[in-house]
Short mmCIF file of all heavy atoms in Angstrom, two decimals:
data_model
loop_
_atom_site.label_atom_id
_atom_site.label_comp_id
_atom_site.label_asym_id
_atom_site.label_seq_id
_atom_site.Cartn_x
_atom_site.Cartn_y
_atom_site.Cartn_z
N VAL M 578 -16.47 16.88 -43.14
CA VAL M 578 -17.37 16.71 -41.98
C VAL M 578 -17.80 15.30 -41.85
O VAL M 578 -17.80 14.73 -40.77
CB VAL M 578 -18.60 17.67 -42.17
CG1 VAL M 578 -19.68 17.28 -41.21
CG2 VAL M 578 -18.19 19.08 -41.96
N PHE M 579 -18.16 14.69 -42.98
CA PHE M 579 -18.63 13.29 -42.87
C PHE M 579 -17.53 12.33 -42.49
O PHE M 579 -17.71 11.41 -41.70
CB PHE M 579 -19.34 12.87 -44.14
CG PHE M 579 -20.68 13.52 -44.22
CD1 PHE M 579 -20.95 14.56 -45.05
CD2 PHE M 579 -21.68 13.12 -43.30
CE1 PHE M 579 -22.19 15.17 -45.05
CE2 PHE M 579 -22.92 13.73 -43.32
CZ PHE M 579 -23.18 14.75 -44.20
N ALA M 580 -16.35 12.62 -43.03
CA ALA M 580 -15.19 11.83 -42.64
C ALA M 580 -14.98 11.98 -41.16
O ALA M 580 -14.74 11.02 -40.44
CB ALA M 580 -13.96 12.29 -43.40
N GLY M 581 -15.12 13.20 -40.69
CA GLY M 581 -14.96 13.51 -39.24
C GLY M 581 -15.95 12.72 -38.45
O GLY M 581 -15.59 12.12 -37.43
N LEU M 582 -17.18 12.66 -38.90
CA LEU M 582 -18.26 11.94 -38.14
C LEU M 582 -17.83 10.47 -37.99
O LEU M 582 -17.86 9.93 -36.88
CB LEU M 582 -19.58 11.98 -38.94
CG LEU M 582 -20.42 13.22 -38.75
CD1 LEU M 582 -21.59 13.18 -39.72
CD2 LEU M 582 -20.91 13.25 -37.32
N ASN M 583 -17.46 9.86 -39.12
CA ASN M 583 -17.15 8.43 -39.08
C ASN M 583 -15.88 8.21 -38.25
O ASN M 583 -15.87 7.39 -37.34
CB ASN M 583 -16.92 7.92 -40.46
CG ASN M 583 -18.23 7.94 -41.25
OD1 ASN M 583 -19.30 7.83 -40.62
ND2 ASN M 583 -18.18 8.05 -42.54
N GLU M 584 -14.87 8.94 -38.58
CA GLU M 584 -13.57 8.71 -37.97
C GLU M 584 -13.61 8.95 -36.46
O GLU M 584 -13.15 8.19 -35.66
CB GLU M 584 -12.53 9.68 -38.57
CG GLU M 584 -11.12 9.32 -38.24
CD GLU M 584 -10.71 8.04 -38.91
OE1 GLU M 584 -11.34 7.58 -39.88
OE2 GLU M 584 -9.69 7.51 -38.44
N ALA M 585 -14.33 10.07 -36.07
CA ALA M 585 -14.41 10.36 -34.66
C ALA M 585 -15.01 9.22 -33.90
O ALA M 585 -14.54 8.86 -32.83
CB ALA M 585 -15.26 11.62 -34.48
N LYS M 586 -16.03 8.62 -34.49
CA LYS M 586 -16.70 7.54 -33.76
C LYS M 586 -15.79 6.31 -33.69
O LYS M 586 -15.74 5.65 -32.66
CB LYS M 586 -18.02 7.19 -34.47
CG LYS M 586 -19.10 8.22 -34.20
CD LYS M 586 -19.28 8.52 -32.78
CE LYS M 586 -18.73 9.85 -32.46
NZ LYS M 586 -18.51 10.11 -31.07
N ALA M 587 -15.16 6.06 -34.80
CA ALA M 587 -14.27 4.86 -34.84
C ALA M 587 -13.23 4.95 -33.75
O ALA M 587 -13.03 4.02 -32.96
CB ALA M 587 -13.62 4.76 -36.21
N VAL M 588 -12.60 6.13 -33.61
CA VAL M 588 -11.58 6.29 -32.60
C VAL M 588 -12.17 6.23 -31.21
O VAL M 588 -11.62 5.60 -30.32
CB VAL M 588 -10.82 7.60 -32.85
CG1 VAL M 588 -9.81 7.83 -31.76
CG2 VAL M 588 -10.13 7.63 -34.18
N ASP M 589 -13.36 6.85 -31.10
CA ASP M 589 -14.01 6.84 -29.76
C ASP M 589 -14.23 5.43 -29.31
O ASP M 589 -13.99 5.07 -28.17
CB ASP M 589 -15.37 7.54 -29.85
CG ASP M 589 -15.23 8.97 -29.45
OD1 ASP M 589 -14.12 9.39 -29.07
OD2 ASP M 589 -16.21 9.67 -29.52
N VAL M 590 -14.71 4.59 -30.24
CA VAL M 590 -15.00 3.21 -29.85
C VAL M 590 -13.75 2.50 -29.42
O VAL M 590 -13.73 1.83 -28.39
CB VAL M 590 -15.65 2.47 -31.06
CG1 VAL M 590 -15.75 1.01 -30.77
CG2 VAL M 590 -17.03 3.04 -31.30
N THR M 591 -12.66 2.73 -30.17
CA THR M 591 -11.40 2.04 -29.78
C THR M 591 -10.89 2.52 -28.44
O THR M 591 -10.48 1.73 -27.63
CB THR M 591 -10.29 2.27 -30.84
OG1 THR M 591 -10.32 3.60 -31.22
CG2 THR M 591 -10.51 1.35 -32.06
N THR M 592 -10.98 3.84 -28.21
CA THR M 592 -10.49 4.33 -26.90
C THR M 592 -11.40 3.78 -25.82
O THR M 592 -10.90 3.39 -24.76
CB THR M 592 -10.50 5.86 -26.83
OG1 THR M 592 -11.70 6.34 -27.36
CG2 THR M 592 -9.30 6.43 -27.56
N ALA M 593 -12.71 3.72 -26.07
CA ALA M 593 -13.59 3.19 -25.09
C ALA M 593 -13.21 1.75 -24.75
O ALA M 593 -13.15 1.38 -23.57
CB ALA M 593 -15.02 3.24 -25.59
N ALA M 594 -12.92 0.99 -25.80
CA ALA M 594 -12.55 -0.43 -25.60
C ALA M 594 -11.28 -0.48 -24.78
O ALA M 594 -11.15 -1.28 -23.81
CB ALA M 594 -12.34 -1.11 -26.93
N ALA M 595 -10.30 0.38 -25.10
CA ALA M 595 -9.03 0.38 -24.39
C ALA M 595 -9.25 0.71 -22.93
O ALA M 595 -8.72 0.04 -22.03
CB ALA M 595 -8.08 1.37 -25.03
N VAL M 596 -10.05 1.70 -22.68
CA VAL M 596 -10.33 2.12 -21.31
C VAL M 596 -11.00 1.00 -20.54
O VAL M 596 -10.66 0.71 -19.42
CB VAL M 596 -11.22 3.41 -21.26
CG1 VAL M 596 -11.72 3.66 -19.89
CG2 VAL M 596 -10.44 4.60 -21.79
N GLN M 597 -11.96 0.32 -21.25
CA GLN M 597 -12.64 -0.75 -20.58
C GLN M 597 -11.71 -1.87 -20.21
O GLN M 597 -11.72 -2.34 -19.07
CB GLN M 597 -13.73 -1.31 -21.51
CG GLN M 597 -15.02 -0.59 -21.32
CD GLN M 597 -16.04 -0.94 -22.39
OE1 GLN M 597 -15.79 -1.94 -23.12
NE2 GLN M 597 -17.09 -0.23 -22.51
N THR M 598 -10.84 -2.28 -21.14
CA THR M 598 -9.91 -3.35 -20.88
C THR M 598 -9.02 -2.96 -19.69
O THR M 598 -8.76 -3.76 -18.81
CB THR M 598 -9.08 -3.71 -22.08
OG1 THR M 598 -8.74 -2.51 -22.75
CG2 THR M 598 -9.76 -4.68 -22.99
N SER M 599 -8.54 -1.73 -19.71
CA SER M 599 -7.64 -1.32 -18.65
C SER M 599 -8.38 -1.31 -17.32
O SER M 599 -7.83 -1.69 -16.27
CB SER M 599 -7.01 0.06 -18.89
OG SER M 599 -8.02 1.01 -18.99
N ALA M 600 -9.65 -0.93 -17.35
CA ALA M 600 -10.48 -0.93 -16.14
C ALA M 600 -10.65 -2.36 -15.64
O ALA M 600 -10.53 -2.63 -14.43
CB ALA M 600 -11.82 -0.32 -16.42
N VAL M 601 -10.86 -3.30 -16.57
CA VAL M 601 -11.02 -4.67 -16.18
C VAL M 601 -9.71 -5.20 -15.54
O VAL M 601 -9.77 -5.87 -14.53
CB VAL M 601 -11.38 -5.52 -17.42
CG1 VAL M 601 -11.25 -7.02 -17.14
CG2 VAL M 601 -12.80 -5.21 -17.86
N ILE M 602 -8.60 -4.86 -16.18
CA ILE M 602 -7.33 -5.31 -15.65
C ILE M 602 -7.14 -4.80 -14.25
O ILE M 602 -6.75 -5.49 -13.29
CB ILE M 602 -6.14 -4.87 -16.58
CG1 ILE M 602 -6.24 -5.63 -17.88
CG2 ILE M 602 -4.83 -5.12 -15.90
CD1 ILE M 602 -5.40 -5.04 -18.98
N ALA M 603 -7.42 -3.50 -14.08
CA ALA M 603 -7.25 -2.85 -12.78
C ALA M 603 -8.13 -3.56 -11.76
O ALA M 603 -7.71 -3.85 -10.67
CB ALA M 603 -7.62 -1.37 -12.87
#
Side-chain angles (χ1 to χ4, degrees):
Chain M
V578 166
F579 285 106
L582 275 174
N583 293 332
E584 193 69 18
K586 285 309 105 198
V588 176
D589 266 358
V590 170
T591 44
T592 45
V596 169
Q597 271 169 14
T598 37
S599 62
V601 167
I602 291 165

